[in-house]
Amino acid sequence: MRVLGIESSCDDTGAAIFDLNQGLLSHRRASQVDLHARYGGVVPELAARDHIRVLIPLVQAVLSDAGLERGDIDAVAYTAGPGLAGALLVGAVAGRTLAFSLGVPALGVHHMEGHLLSPLLDDENIEMPFVALLVSGGHTLLADVTALGRYRILGESLDDAAGEAFDKTAKLLGLGYPGGPAIADAATRGVAGRFGLPRPMTDRPGLDFSFSGLKTAVLKLWGEVEHDEQTVCDLCHAFEDAVVETLVIKCERAVRERRAERLVVAGGVGANQTLRERLVKRMAAQSVQVSFPRFEFCTDNGAMIAYAGARRLAAGESDALEIRISPRWSLSDLRSIEA
Ligand code: KG4
Ligand code: ZN
């Protein structure tokens, strides 16, 4: 089965073709970073309009990259949520309509399930159960994954997601959008130990997160110091260290509680090099293996949607003839497709 995947939940348009026998055949992404950068964050209406502009050419490009015609597609999977309603609608309308015109099934996919399964794009041998850390711009959560579709949320952010905290802190320090890569880059030039920041909610039991206080702590420090380049880098270093250490402490706790042998990390913040290195080291100390998606599949992409869709379509799922989006949709509401 050959599945066209479409992602349009936020500020990246993604398209990909995944074949259940041959694997990933092609994938492309069109980023909207330049479009939103001057506003310091994603403008939903501009995002939706740009998805409209680039989606069909992107689908044509992934088909031609794979040497395929539209008629060679067996099914279409598109992101149905969670995400920005207008942005989601573009992918949903395009995906559902294309499937209808070709007479093939369509399926609305959960964006976070796409992230969660993205490491399997390169390594199908990753076995469940495992604990998943999903860290993106909109979500930060730890989930117990016992089967495909059976996800129990162990803890999640009570306020800002980790990526959102990176983005807001970067804005505060006058760095560009998206903030995660900008802070990570500045942090490499920062001096460790000049500023100390808390590790929120690590001093009490539980697996929930809270990152909004960190941004406030940075704001307070920012009001007390000279605004020179080295200070920005030092603050970025302290901020990244605090977020990473908080995530690592909670992962250690989660794998210990679940007696997990594997931790899967996905989502945009999973691209952070400091987080990757520290997790690998600390998980090794607990004999836990860590799996990440390929670097380019940490942030939003069509490949993960094609993959998650293919697994569910192969299990017999498909949507009725309707255009369905769910801008708010919990991962724990998904149906398990394995016994
Ligand atoms: O998964 P994603 O592409 O979109 C959502 O589903 O939200 O994640 C985007 C988030 C942004 O907040 C961005 O700042 C963050 O991931 N991010 C990073 C890095 N690269 C992207 N955060 C920290 N370090 C990075 N290297
Ligand atoms: Zn995402």
Side-chain angles (χ1 to χ4, degrees), residues 9 12 111-112 115 135-139 163-164 166-167 178-181 184 267-269 271-273 298-300:
S9 65
D12 291 297
H111 179 81
M112 298 310 291
H115 275 304
V135 267
S136 71
H139 297 82
E164 191 178 356
F166 268 100
D167 294 337
V269 183
N272 185 280
Q273 208 52 43
C298 282
T299 44
D300 294 347

mmCIF file with all atom_site columns, all heavy atoms in Angstrom, residues 9 12 111-112 115 135-139 163-164 166-167 178-181 184 267-269 271-273 298-300, ligand 1:
data_model
loop_
_atom_site.group_PDB
_atom_site.id
_atom_site.type_symbol
_atom_site.label_atom_id
_atom_site.label_alt_id
_atom_site.label_comp_id
_atom_site.label_asym_id
_atom_site.label_entity_id
_atom_site.label_seq_id
_atom_site.pdbx_PDB_ins_code
_atom_site.Cartn_x
_atom_site.Cartn_y
_atom_site.Cartn_z
_atom_site.occupancy
_atom_site.B_iso_or_equiv
_atom_site.pdbx_formal_charge
_atom_site.auth_seq_id
_atom_site.auth_comp_id
_atom_site.auth_asym_id
_atom_site.auth_atom_id
_atom_site.pdbx_PDB_model_num
ATOM   1   N N   . SER A 1 9   ? -0.536 21.358 9.872  1.00 0.00 ? 9   SER A N   1
ATOM   2   C CA  . SER A 1 9   ? -1.200 21.758 11.124 1.00 0.00 ? 9   SER A CA  1
ATOM   3   C C   . SER A 1 9   ? -0.722 23.094 11.666 1.00 0.00 ? 9   SER A C   1
ATOM   4   O O   . SER A 1 9   ? -1.398 23.722 12.456 1.00 0.00 ? 9   SER A O   1
ATOM   5   C CB  . SER A 1 9   ? -0.998 20.678 12.184 1.00 0.00 ? 9   SER A CB  1
ATOM   6   O OG  . SER A 1 9   ? 0.365  20.581 12.514 1.00 0.00 ? 9   SER A OG  1
ATOM   7   N N   . ASP A 1 12  ? 4.525  24.538 8.814  1.00 0.00 ? 12  ASP A N   1
ATOM   8   C CA  . ASP A 1 12  ? 5.273  23.787 7.791  1.00 0.00 ? 12  ASP A CA  1
ATOM   9   C C   . ASP A 1 12  ? 4.266  23.048 6.926  1.00 0.00 ? 12  ASP A C   1
ATOM   10  O O   . ASP A 1 12  ? 3.341  22.436 7.463  1.00 0.00 ? 12  ASP A O   1
ATOM   11  C CB  . ASP A 1 12  ? 6.181  22.722 8.414  1.00 0.00 ? 12  ASP A CB  1
ATOM   12  C CG  . ASP A 1 12  ? 7.338  23.330 9.174  1.00 0.00 ? 12  ASP A CG  1
ATOM   13  O OD1 . ASP A 1 12  ? 8.165  24.009 8.546  1.00 0.00 ? 12  ASP A OD1 1
ATOM   14  O OD2 . ASP A 1 12  ? 7.409  23.120 10.403 1.00 0.00 ? 12  ASP A OD2 1
ATOM   15  N N   . HIS A 1 111 ? -1.705 14.436 14.737 1.00 0.00 ? 111 HIS A N   1
ATOM   16  C CA  . HIS A 1 111 ? -0.360 14.985 14.532 1.00 0.00 ? 111 HIS A CA  1
ATOM   17  C C   . HIS A 1 111 ? 0.657  14.422 15.544 1.00 0.00 ? 111 HIS A C   1
ATOM   18  O O   . HIS A 1 111 ? 1.791  14.084 15.176 1.00 0.00 ? 111 HIS A O   1
ATOM   19  C CB  . HIS A 1 111 ? -0.453 16.509 14.668 1.00 0.00 ? 111 HIS A CB  1
ATOM   20  C CG  . HIS A 1 111 ? 0.830  17.235 14.505 1.00 0.00 ? 111 HIS A CG  1
ATOM   21  N ND1 . HIS A 1 111 ? 1.363  17.519 13.262 1.00 0.00 ? 111 HIS A ND1 1
ATOM   22  C CD2 . HIS A 1 111 ? 1.709  17.722 15.416 1.00 0.00 ? 111 HIS A CD2 1
ATOM   23  C CE1 . HIS A 1 111 ? 2.506  18.170 13.434 1.00 0.00 ? 111 HIS A CE1 1
ATOM   24  N NE2 . HIS A 1 111 ? 2.738  18.301 14.724 1.00 0.00 ? 111 HIS A NE2 1
ATOM   25  N N   . MET A 1 112 ? 0.247  14.308 16.811 1.00 0.00 ? 112 MET A N   1
ATOM   26  C CA  . MET A 1 112 ? 1.202  13.848 17.819 1.00 0.00 ? 112 MET A CA  1
ATOM   27  C C   . MET A 1 112 ? 1.488  12.349 17.686 1.00 0.00 ? 112 MET A C   1
ATOM   28  O O   . MET A 1 112 ? 2.562  11.881 18.047 1.00 0.00 ? 112 MET A O   1
ATOM   29  C CB  . MET A 1 112 ? 0.706  14.163 19.236 1.00 0.00 ? 112 MET A CB  1
ATOM   30  C CG  . MET A 1 112 ? 0.542  15.654 19.510 1.00 0.00 ? 112 MET A CG  1
ATOM   31  S SD  . MET A 1 112 ? 1.983  16.657 19.079 1.00 0.00 ? 112 MET A SD  1
ATOM   32  C CE  . MET A 1 112 ? 3.168  16.141 20.308 1.00 0.00 ? 112 MET A CE  1
ATOM   33  N N   . HIS A 1 115 ? 4.247  12.319 15.242 1.00 0.00 ? 115 HIS A N   1
ATOM   34  C CA  . HIS A 1 115 ? 5.541  12.574 15.902 1.00 0.00 ? 115 HIS A CA  1
ATOM   35  C C   . HIS A 1 115 ? 6.006  11.322 16.653 1.00 0.00 ? 115 HIS A C   1
ATOM   36  O O   . HIS A 1 115 ? 7.161  10.907 16.543 1.00 0.00 ? 115 HIS A O   1
ATOM   37  C CB  . HIS A 1 115 ? 5.411  13.713 16.908 1.00 0.00 ? 115 HIS A CB  1
ATOM   38  C CG  . HIS A 1 115 ? 5.566  15.087 16.310 1.00 0.00 ? 115 HIS A CG  1
ATOM   39  N ND1 . HIS A 1 115 ? 6.677  15.466 15.589 1.00 0.00 ? 115 HIS A ND1 1
ATOM   40  C CD2 . HIS A 1 115 ? 4.767  16.177 16.345 1.00 0.00 ? 115 HIS A CD2 1
ATOM   41  C CE1 . HIS A 1 115 ? 6.551  16.735 15.207 1.00 0.00 ? 115 HIS A CE1 1
ATOM   42  N NE2 . HIS A 1 115 ? 5.397  17.188 15.647 1.00 0.00 ? 115 HIS A NE2 1
ATOM   43  N N   . VAL A 1 135 ? 7.993  16.427 22.626 1.00 0.00 ? 135 VAL A N   1
ATOM   44  C CA  . VAL A 1 135 ? 8.317  17.825 22.942 1.00 0.00 ? 135 VAL A CA  1
ATOM   45  C C   . VAL A 1 135 ? 8.250  18.668 21.680 1.00 0.00 ? 135 VAL A C   1
ATOM   46  O O   . VAL A 1 135 ? 9.152  18.649 20.858 1.00 0.00 ? 135 VAL A O   1
ATOM   47  C CB  . VAL A 1 135 ? 9.724  17.961 23.585 1.00 0.00 ? 135 VAL A CB  1
ATOM   48  C CG1 . VAL A 1 135 ? 9.643  17.916 25.081 1.00 0.00 ? 135 VAL A CG1 1
ATOM   49  C CG2 . VAL A 1 135 ? 10.700 16.920 23.065 1.00 0.00 ? 135 VAL A CG2 1
ATOM   50  N N   . SER A 1 136 ? 7.150  19.404 21.544 1.00 0.00 ? 136 SER A N   1
ATOM   51  C CA  . SER A 1 136 ? 7.010  20.230 20.341 1.00 0.00 ? 136 SER A CA  1
ATOM   52  C C   . SER A 1 136 ? 6.663  21.652 20.747 1.00 0.00 ? 136 SER A C   1
ATOM   53  O O   . SER A 1 136 ? 6.767  22.028 21.910 1.00 0.00 ? 136 SER A O   1
ATOM   54  C CB  . SER A 1 136 ? 5.936  19.625 19.441 1.00 0.00 ? 136 SER A CB  1
ATOM   55  O OG  . SER A 1 136 ? 4.679  19.803 20.020 1.00 0.00 ? 136 SER A OG  1
ATOM   56  N N   . GLY A 1 137 ? 6.217  22.431 19.771 1.00 0.00 ? 137 GLY A N   1
ATOM   57  C CA  . GLY A 1 137 ? 5.865  23.816 20.063 1.00 0.00 ? 137 GLY A CA  1
ATOM   58  C C   . GLY A 1 137 ? 4.537  23.917 20.800 1.00 0.00 ? 137 GLY A C   1
ATOM   59  O O   . GLY A 1 137 ? 4.297  24.840 21.570 1.00 0.00 ? 137 GLY A O   1
ATOM   60  N N   . GLY A 1 138 ? 3.668  22.946 20.561 1.00 0.00 ? 138 GLY A N   1
ATOM   61  C CA  . GLY A 1 138 ? 2.337  22.998 21.163 1.00 0.00 ? 138 GLY A CA  1
ATOM   62  C C   . GLY A 1 138 ? 2.140  22.030 22.320 1.00 0.00 ? 138 GLY A C   1
ATOM   63  O O   . GLY A 1 138 ? 1.212  22.187 23.117 1.00 0.00 ? 138 GLY A O   1
ATOM   64  N N   . HIS A 1 139 ? 2.990  21.012 22.428 1.00 0.00 ? 139 HIS A N   1
ATOM   65  C CA  . HIS A 1 139 ? 2.794  19.974 23.440 1.00 0.00 ? 139 HIS A CA  1
ATOM   66  C C   . HIS A 1 139 ? 4.108  19.567 24.096 1.00 0.00 ? 139 HIS A C   1
ATOM   67  O O   . HIS A 1 139 ? 5.146  19.518 23.432 1.00 0.00 ? 139 HIS A O   1
ATOM   68  C CB  . HIS A 1 139 ? 2.187  18.708 22.821 1.00 0.00 ? 139 HIS A CB  1
ATOM   69  C CG  . HIS A 1 139 ? 0.826  18.927 22.245 1.00 0.00 ? 139 HIS A CG  1
ATOM   70  N ND1 . HIS A 1 139 ? 0.647  19.451 20.994 1.00 0.00 ? 139 HIS A ND1 1
ATOM   71  C CD2 . HIS A 1 139 ? -0.410 18.727 22.757 1.00 0.00 ? 139 HIS A CD2 1
ATOM   72  C CE1 . HIS A 1 139 ? -0.650 19.554 20.759 1.00 0.00 ? 139 HIS A CE1 1
ATOM   73  N NE2 . HIS A 1 139 ? -1.321 19.123 21.809 1.00 0.00 ? 139 HIS A NE2 1
ATOM   74  N N   . GLY A 1 163 ? 8.738  23.814 23.601 1.00 0.00 ? 163 GLY A N   1
ATOM   75  C CA  . GLY A 1 163 ? 9.067  24.591 22.397 1.00 0.00 ? 163 GLY A CA  1
ATOM   76  C C   . GLY A 1 163 ? 8.543  26.016 22.492 1.00 0.00 ? 163 GLY A C   1
ATOM   77  O O   . GLY A 1 163 ? 9.214  26.970 22.084 1.00 0.00 ? 163 GLY A O   1
ATOM   78  N N   . GLU A 1 164 ? 7.356  26.138 23.061 1.00 0.00 ? 164 GLU A N   1
ATOM   79  C CA  . GLU A 1 164 ? 6.745  27.458 23.235 1.00 0.00 ? 164 GLU A CA  1
ATOM   80  C C   . GLU A 1 164 ? 7.604  28.306 24.174 1.00 0.00 ? 164 GLU A C   1
ATOM   81  O O   . GLU A 1 164 ? 7.796  29.505 23.950 1.00 0.00 ? 164 GLU A O   1
ATOM   82  C CB  . GLU A 1 164 ? 5.356  27.223 23.850 1.00 0.00 ? 164 GLU A CB  1
ATOM   83  C CG  . GLU A 1 164 ? 4.438  28.399 23.897 1.00 0.00 ? 164 GLU A CG  1
ATOM   84  C CD  . GLU A 1 164 ? 3.083  27.977 24.505 1.00 0.00 ? 164 GLU A CD  1
ATOM   85  O OE1 . GLU A 1 164 ? 2.874  26.770 24.801 1.00 0.00 ? 164 GLU A OE1 1
ATOM   86  O OE2 . GLU A 1 164 ? 2.241  28.875 24.670 1.00 0.00 ? 164 GLU A OE2 1
ATOM   87  N N   . PHE A 1 166 ? 10.842 27.994 24.589 1.00 0.00 ? 166 PHE A N   1
ATOM   88  C CA  . PHE A 1 166 ? 12.008 28.402 23.783 1.00 0.00 ? 166 PHE A CA  1
ATOM   89  C C   . PHE A 1 166 ? 11.635 29.605 22.916 1.00 0.00 ? 166 PHE A C   1
ATOM   90  O O   . PHE A 1 166 ? 12.371 30.586 22.833 1.00 0.00 ? 166 PHE A O   1
ATOM   91  C CB  . PHE A 1 166 ? 12.460 27.248 22.873 1.00 0.00 ? 166 PHE A CB  1
ATOM   92  C CG  . PHE A 1 166 ? 13.517 26.356 23.474 1.00 0.00 ? 166 PHE A CG  1
ATOM   93  C CD1 . PHE A 1 166 ? 13.179 25.130 24.035 1.00 0.00 ? 166 PHE A CD1 1
ATOM   94  C CD2 . PHE A 1 166 ? 14.851 26.724 23.462 1.00 0.00 ? 166 PHE A CD2 1
ATOM   95  C CE1 . PHE A 1 166 ? 14.141 24.295 24.583 1.00 0.00 ? 166 PHE A CE1 1
ATOM   96  C CE2 . PHE A 1 166 ? 15.836 25.897 24.003 1.00 0.00 ? 166 PHE A CE2 1
ATOM   97  C CZ  . PHE A 1 166 ? 15.475 24.676 24.574 1.00 0.00 ? 166 PHE A CZ  1
ATOM   98  N N   . ASP A 1 167 ? 10.470 29.522 22.256 1.00 0.00 ? 167 ASP A N   1
ATOM   99  C CA  . ASP A 1 167 ? 10.072 30.589 21.326 1.00 0.00 ? 167 ASP A CA  1
ATOM   100 C C   . ASP A 1 167 ? 9.834  31.910 22.065 1.00 0.00 ? 167 ASP A C   1
ATOM   101 O O   . ASP A 1 167 ? 10.276 32.972 21.616 1.00 0.00 ? 167 ASP A O   1
ATOM   102 C CB  . ASP A 1 167 ? 8.800  30.181 20.565 1.00 0.00 ? 167 ASP A CB  1
ATOM   103 C CG  . ASP A 1 167 ? 9.051  28.998 19.634 1.00 0.00 ? 167 ASP A CG  1
ATOM   104 O OD1 . ASP A 1 167 ? 10.219 28.780 19.248 1.00 0.00 ? 167 ASP A OD1 1
ATOM   105 O OD2 . ASP A 1 167 ? 8.090  28.288 19.295 1.00 0.00 ? 167 ASP A OD2 1
ATOM   106 N N   . PRO A 1 178 ? 11.947 30.602 14.453 1.00 0.00 ? 178 PRO A N   1
ATOM   107 C CA  . PRO A 1 178 ? 11.581 29.966 15.715 1.00 0.00 ? 178 PRO A CA  1
ATOM   108 C C   . PRO A 1 178 ? 12.707 30.054 16.746 1.00 0.00 ? 178 PRO A C   1
ATOM   109 O O   . PRO A 1 178 ? 13.887 30.057 16.399 1.00 0.00 ? 178 PRO A O   1
ATOM   110 C CB  . PRO A 1 178 ? 11.313 28.521 15.310 1.00 0.00 ? 178 PRO A CB  1
ATOM   111 C CG  . PRO A 1 178 ? 12.149 28.308 14.105 1.00 0.00 ? 178 PRO A CG  1
ATOM   112 C CD  . PRO A 1 178 ? 12.240 29.622 13.399 1.00 0.00 ? 178 PRO A CD  1
ATOM   113 N N   . GLY A 1 179 ? 12.305 30.102 17.999 1.00 0.00 ? 179 GLY A N   1
ATOM   114 C CA  . GLY A 1 179 ? 13.261 30.379 19.058 1.00 0.00 ? 179 GLY A CA  1
ATOM   115 C C   . GLY A 1 179 ? 14.175 29.238 19.429 1.00 0.00 ? 179 GLY A C   1
ATOM   116 O O   . GLY A 1 179 ? 15.293 29.459 19.878 1.00 0.00 ? 179 GLY A O   1
ATOM   117 N N   . GLY A 1 180 ? 13.702 27.991 19.263 1.00 0.00 ? 180 GLY A N   1
ATOM   118 C CA  . GLY A 1 180 ? 14.498 26.842 19.692 1.00 0.00 ? 180 GLY A CA  1
ATOM   119 C C   . GLY A 1 180 ? 15.882 26.815 19.060 1.00 0.00 ? 180 GLY A C   1
ATOM   120 O O   . GLY A 1 180 ? 16.897 26.841 19.775 1.00 0.00 ? 180 GLY A O   1
ATOM   121 N N   . PRO A 1 181 ? 15.954 26.806 17.728 1.00 0.00 ? 181 PRO A N   1
ATOM   122 C CA  . PRO A 1 181 ? 17.275 26.777 17.096 1.00 0.00 ? 181 PRO A CA  1
ATOM   123 C C   . PRO A 1 181 ? 18.105 28.019 17.421 1.00 0.00 ? 181 PRO A C   1
ATOM   124 O O   . PRO A 1 181 ? 19.322 27.928 17.600 1.00 0.00 ? 181 PRO A O   1
ATOM   125 C CB  . PRO A 1 181 ? 16.951 26.726 15.592 1.00 0.00 ? 181 PRO A CB  1
ATOM   126 C CG  . PRO A 1 181 ? 15.557 26.188 15.522 1.00 0.00 ? 181 PRO A CG  1
ATOM   127 C CD  . PRO A 1 181 ? 14.857 26.641 16.771 1.00 0.00 ? 181 PRO A CD  1
ATOM   128 N N   . ALA A 1 184 ? 19.428 27.566 20.968 1.00 0.00 ? 184 ALA A N   1
ATOM   129 C CA  . ALA A 1 184 ? 20.428 26.491 20.985 1.00 0.00 ? 184 ALA A CA  1
ATOM   130 C C   . ALA A 1 184 ? 21.751 26.990 20.405 1.00 0.00 ? 184 ALA A C   1
ATOM   131 O O   . ALA A 1 184 ? 22.838 26.684 20.928 1.00 0.00 ? 184 ALA A O   1
ATOM   132 C CB  . ALA A 1 184 ? 19.911 25.287 20.201 1.00 0.00 ? 184 ALA A CB  1
ATOM   133 N N   . GLY A 1 267 ? 9.314  15.208 18.240 1.00 0.00 ? 267 GLY A N   1
ATOM   134 C CA  . GLY A 1 267 ? 8.824  16.584 18.268 1.00 0.00 ? 267 GLY A CA  1
ATOM   135 C C   . GLY A 1 267 ? 9.973  17.558 18.066 1.00 0.00 ? 267 GLY A C   1
ATOM   136 O O   . GLY A 1 267 ? 11.145 17.195 18.222 1.00 0.00 ? 267 GLY A O   1
ATOM   137 N N   . GLY A 1 268 ? 9.623  18.793 17.724 1.00 0.00 ? 268 GLY A N   1
ATOM   138 C CA  . GLY A 1 268 ? 10.623 19.799 17.341 1.00 0.00 ? 268 GLY A CA  1
ATOM   139 C C   . GLY A 1 268 ? 11.774 19.961 18.316 1.00 0.00 ? 268 GLY A C   1
ATOM   140 O O   . GLY A 1 268 ? 12.936 20.063 17.904 1.00 0.00 ? 268 GLY A O   1
ATOM   141 N N   . VAL A 1 269 ? 11.493 19.976 19.619 1.00 0.00 ? 269 VAL A N   1
ATOM   142 C CA  . VAL A 1 269 ? 12.566 20.175 20.609 1.00 0.00 ? 269 VAL A CA  1
ATOM   143 C C   . VAL A 1 269 ? 13.491 18.951 20.650 1.00 0.00 ? 269 VAL A C   1
ATOM   144 O O   . VAL A 1 269 ? 14.632 19.039 21.103 1.00 0.00 ? 269 VAL A O   1
ATOM   145 C CB  . VAL A 1 269 ? 11.963 20.499 22.002 1.00 0.00 ? 269 VAL A CB  1
ATOM   146 C CG1 . VAL A 1 269 ? 13.045 20.790 23.026 1.00 0.00 ? 269 VAL A CG1 1
ATOM   147 C CG2 . VAL A 1 269 ? 11.016 21.698 21.906 1.00 0.00 ? 269 VAL A CG2 1
ATOM   148 N N   . ALA A 1 271 ? 15.025 17.949 18.334 1.00 0.00 ? 271 ALA A N   1
ATOM   149 C CA  . ALA A 1 271 ? 16.170 18.278 17.470 1.00 0.00 ? 271 ALA A CA  1
ATOM   150 C C   . ALA A 1 271 ? 17.290 18.913 18.284 1.00 0.00 ? 271 ALA A C   1
ATOM   151 O O   . ALA A 1 271 ? 18.406 19.086 17.782 1.00 0.00 ? 271 ALA A O   1
ATOM   152 C CB  . ALA A 1 271 ? 15.729 19.243 16.363 1.00 0.00 ? 271 ALA A CB  1
ATOM   153 N N   . ASN A 1 272 ? 16.999 19.265 19.532 1.00 0.00 ? 272 ASN A N   1
ATOM   154 C CA  . ASN A 1 272 ? 18.002 19.957 20.351 1.00 0.00 ? 272 ASN A CA  1
ATOM   155 C C   . ASN A 1 272 ? 19.159 19.019 20.713 1.00 0.00 ? 272 ASN A C   1
ATOM   156 O O   . ASN A 1 272 ? 18.981 17.979 21.346 1.00 0.00 ? 272 ASN A O   1
ATOM   157 C CB  . ASN A 1 272 ? 17.327 20.498 21.618 1.00 0.00 ? 272 ASN A CB  1
ATOM   158 C CG  . ASN A 1 272 ? 18.279 21.326 22.447 1.00 0.00 ? 272 ASN A CG  1
ATOM   159 O OD1 . ASN A 1 272 ? 19.096 20.794 23.186 1.00 0.00 ? 272 ASN A OD1 1
ATOM   160 N ND2 . ASN A 1 272 ? 18.185 22.628 22.304 1.00 0.00 ? 272 ASN A ND2 1
ATOM   161 N N   . GLN A 1 273 ? 20.357 19.447 20.330 1.00 0.00 ? 273 GLN A N   1
ATOM   162 C CA  . GLN A 1 273 ? 21.541 18.599 20.465 1.00 0.00 ? 273 GLN A CA  1
ATOM   163 C C   . GLN A 1 273 ? 21.887 18.327 21.930 1.00 0.00 ? 273 GLN A C   1
ATOM   164 O O   . GLN A 1 273 ? 22.250 17.210 22.291 1.00 0.00 ? 273 GLN A O   1
ATOM   165 C CB  . GLN A 1 273 ? 22.712 19.296 19.754 1.00 0.00 ? 273 GLN A CB  1
ATOM   166 C CG  . GLN A 1 273 ? 23.775 18.362 19.218 1.00 0.00 ? 273 GLN A CG  1
ATOM   167 C CD  . GLN A 1 273 ? 23.226 17.239 18.344 1.00 0.00 ? 273 GLN A CD  1
ATOM   168 O OE1 . GLN A 1 273 ? 22.352 17.478 17.512 1.00 0.00 ? 273 GLN A OE1 1
ATOM   169 N NE2 . GLN A 1 273 ? 23.702 16.015 18.557 1.00 0.00 ? 273 GLN A NE2 1
ATOM   170 N N   . CYS A 1 298 ? 12.282 15.525 13.184 1.00 0.00 ? 298 CYS A N   1
ATOM   171 C CA  . CYS A 1 298 ? 11.883 15.987 14.524 1.00 0.00 ? 298 CYS A CA  1
ATOM   172 C C   . CYS A 1 298 ? 10.795 17.033 14.381 1.00 0.00 ? 298 CYS A C   1
ATOM   173 O O   . CYS A 1 298 ? 9.768  16.984 15.038 1.00 0.00 ? 298 CYS A O   1
ATOM   174 C CB  . CYS A 1 298 ? 13.085 16.589 15.255 1.00 0.00 ? 298 CYS A CB  1
ATOM   175 S SG  . CYS A 1 298 ? 14.193 15.357 15.917 1.00 0.00 ? 298 CYS A SG  1
ATOM   176 N N   . THR A 1 299 ? 11.031 18.011 13.519 1.00 0.00 ? 299 THR A N   1
ATOM   177 C CA  . THR A 1 299 ? 10.020 19.058 13.322 1.00 0.00 ? 299 THR A CA  1
ATOM   178 C C   . THR A 1 299 ? 8.948  18.533 12.357 1.00 0.00 ? 299 THR A C   1
ATOM   179 O O   . THR A 1 299 ? 9.084  17.453 11.785 1.00 0.00 ? 299 THR A O   1
ATOM   180 C CB  . THR A 1 299 ? 10.679 20.343 12.769 1.00 0.00 ? 299 THR A CB  1
ATOM   181 O OG1 . THR A 1 299 ? 11.584 19.979 11.763 1.00 0.00 ? 299 THR A OG1 1
ATOM   182 C CG2 . THR A 1 299 ? 11.404 21.092 13.859 1.00 0.00 ? 299 THR A CG2 1
ATOM   183 N N   . ASP A 1 300 ? 7.893  19.321 12.189 1.00 0.00 ? 300 ASP A N   1
ATOM   184 C CA  . ASP A 1 300 ? 6.732  18.852 11.427 1.00 0.00 ? 300 ASP A CA  1
ATOM   185 C C   . ASP A 1 300 ? 7.097  18.433 10.004 1.00 0.00 ? 300 ASP A C   1
ATOM   186 O O   . ASP A 1 300 ? 7.869  19.107 9.324  1.00 0.00 ? 300 ASP A O   1
ATOM   187 C CB  . ASP A 1 300 ? 5.674  19.964 11.393 1.00 0.00 ? 300 ASP A CB  1
ATOM   188 C CG  . ASP A 1 300 ? 5.121  20.227 12.776 1.00 0.00 ? 300 ASP A CG  1
ATOM   189 O OD1 . ASP A 1 300 ? 5.364  19.414 13.673 1.00 0.00 ? 300 ASP A OD1 1
ATOM   190 O OD2 . ASP A 1 300 ? 4.440  21.246 12.945 1.00 0.00 ? 300 ASP A OD2 1
HETATM 191 O O1  . KG4 B 2 .   ? 7.105  19.646 16.317 1.00 0.00 ? 1   KG4 B O1  1
HETATM 192 P P1  . KG4 B 2 .   ? 7.249  21.030 15.808 1.00 0.00 ? 1   KG4 B P1  1
HETATM 193 O O2  . KG4 B 2 .   ? 7.908  21.251 14.481 1.00 0.00 ? 1   KG4 B O2  1
HETATM 194 O O3  . KG4 B 2 .   ? 5.865  21.746 15.721 1.00 0.00 ? 1   KG4 B O3  1
HETATM 195 C C1  . KG4 B 2 .   ? 4.812  21.531 16.579 1.00 0.00 ? 1   KG4 B C1  1
HETATM 196 O O4  . KG4 B 2 .   ? 4.108  20.512 16.408 1.00 0.00 ? 1   KG4 B O4  1
HETATM 197 O O5  . KG4 B 2 .   ? 4.670  22.372 17.495 1.00 0.00 ? 1   KG4 B O5  1
HETATM 198 O O6  . KG4 B 2 .   ? 8.038  21.826 16.940 1.00 0.00 ? 1   KG4 B O6  1
HETATM 199 C C2  . KG4 B 2 .   ? 8.377  23.163 16.793 1.00 0.00 ? 1   KG4 B C2  1
HETATM 200 C C3  . KG4 B 2 .   ? 9.077  23.625 18.065 1.00 0.00 ? 1   KG4 B C3  1
HETATM 201 C C4  . KG4 B 2 .   ? 9.303  25.129 18.100 1.00 0.00 ? 1   KG4 B C4  1
HETATM 202 O O7  . KG4 B 2 .   ? 8.842  25.637 19.330 1.00 0.00 ? 1   KG4 B O7  1
HETATM 203 C C5  . KG4 B 2 .   ? 10.808 25.251 17.982 1.00 0.00 ? 1   KG4 B C5  1
HETATM 204 O O8  . KG4 B 2 .   ? 11.328 26.395 18.643 1.00 0.00 ? 1   KG4 B O8  1
HETATM 205 C C6  . KG4 B 2 .   ? 11.289 23.969 18.624 1.00 0.00 ? 1   KG4 B C6  1
HETATM 206 O O9  . KG4 B 2 .   ? 10.348 22.999 18.189 1.00 0.00 ? 1   KG4 B O9  1
HETATM 207 N N1  . KG4 B 2 .   ? 12.633 23.589 18.188 1.00 0.00 ? 1   KG4 B N1  1
HETATM 208 C C7  . KG4 B 2 .   ? 13.695 23.518 19.014 1.00 0.00 ? 1   KG4 B C7  1
HETATM 209 C C8  . KG4 B 2 .   ? 14.807 23.168 18.211 1.00 0.00 ? 1   KG4 B C8  1
HETATM 210 N N2  . KG4 B 2 .   ? 14.380 23.042 16.909 1.00 0.00 ? 1   KG4 B N2  1
HETATM 211 C C9  . KG4 B 2 .   ? 13.038 23.286 16.926 1.00 0.00 ? 1   KG4 B C9  1
HETATM 212 N N3  . KG4 B 2 .   ? 13.789 23.707 20.335 1.00 0.00 ? 1   KG4 B N3  1
HETATM 213 C C10 . KG4 B 2 .   ? 15.006 23.566 20.896 1.00 0.00 ? 1   KG4 B C10 1
HETATM 214 N N4  . KG4 B 2 .   ? 16.120 23.266 20.202 1.00 0.00 ? 1   KG4 B N4  1
HETATM 215 C C11 . KG4 B 2 .   ? 16.079 23.050 18.863 1.00 0.00 ? 1   KG4 B C11 1
HETATM 216 N N5  . KG4 B 2 .   ? 17.191 22.743 18.194 1.00 0.00 ? 1   KG4 B N5  1
#
